[in-house]
Amino acid sequence: MANELPQDVITLETAQEWASNWNNQGASFLSKNALKAFLIPAEDVQGIISDDKTYHIRGYLGLEQKTDGTLEPHMMVVGVDSNQNDMIDYENGYYIYDFTSPCPNTCNTTAPFINSAK
């Protein structure tokens, strides 16, 4: 794998750690935090769908353990092929993208289906 990854791409090892944190602590995190949505950069989606072998996009939830002990939610997204297999191959440009702009913090206050005030 190249040393320099594209913007918003994380390593497989980071994705595995965050996914494990979500599997072990996600329910507890949600019981104490109001996670409603993620702001997804169009550039990242374009990076995933730019290959004609990408038929779907799959999102995974993750939690990053910060140095101060807090948890930060993440949405990790990968391209999916026609057989519904995740396309993760860093040598060939199939990456795991990290969407780290959760709502609250990036909520749309005018969306008719979400009450970001709570």
Side-chain angles (χ1 to χ4, degrees):
M1 176 172 37
N3 292 336
E4 187 72 26
L5 295 174
Q7 181 176 340
D8 297 332
V9 168
I10 58 172
T11 65
L12 176 60
E13 293 78 15
T14 295
Q16 290 170 323
E17 177 184 333
W18 291 354
S20 177
N21 289 346
W22 179 264
N23 292 336
N24 294 322
Q25 302 173 64
S28 175
F29 177 83
L30 288 174
S31 73
K32 301 171 192 162
N33 298 277
L35 180 63
K36 298 180 181 186
F38 286 86
L39 182 64
I40 301 172
E43 180 178 306
D44 293 348
V45 174
Q46 290 168 343
I48 294 169
I49 63 172
S50 65
D51 187 290
D52 62 0
K53 295 177 186 168
T54 303
Y55 286 82
H56 307 281
I57 296 174
R58 181 171 286 129
Y60 292 95
L61 295 174
L63 287 172
E64 177 183 7
Q65 182 87 39
K66 305 299 265 183
T67 56
D68 65 1
T70 60
L71 296 171
E72 179 178 305
H74 291 264
M75 169 147 315
M76 301 170 288
V77 179
V78 297
V80 178
D81 67 18
S82 61
N83 294 317
Q84 298 189 10
N85 295 313
D86 291 356
M87 298 166 59
I88 302 171
D89 182 346
Y90 284 69
E91 295 295 323
N92 290 302
Y94 299 117
Y95 302 114
I96 303 169
Y97 288 81
D98 169 28
F99 300 145
T100 60
S101 299
C103 167
N105 298 336
T106 60
C107 295
N108 177 348
T109 59
T110 62
F113 58 88
I114 190 169
N115 182 356
S116 61
K118 292 183 180 179

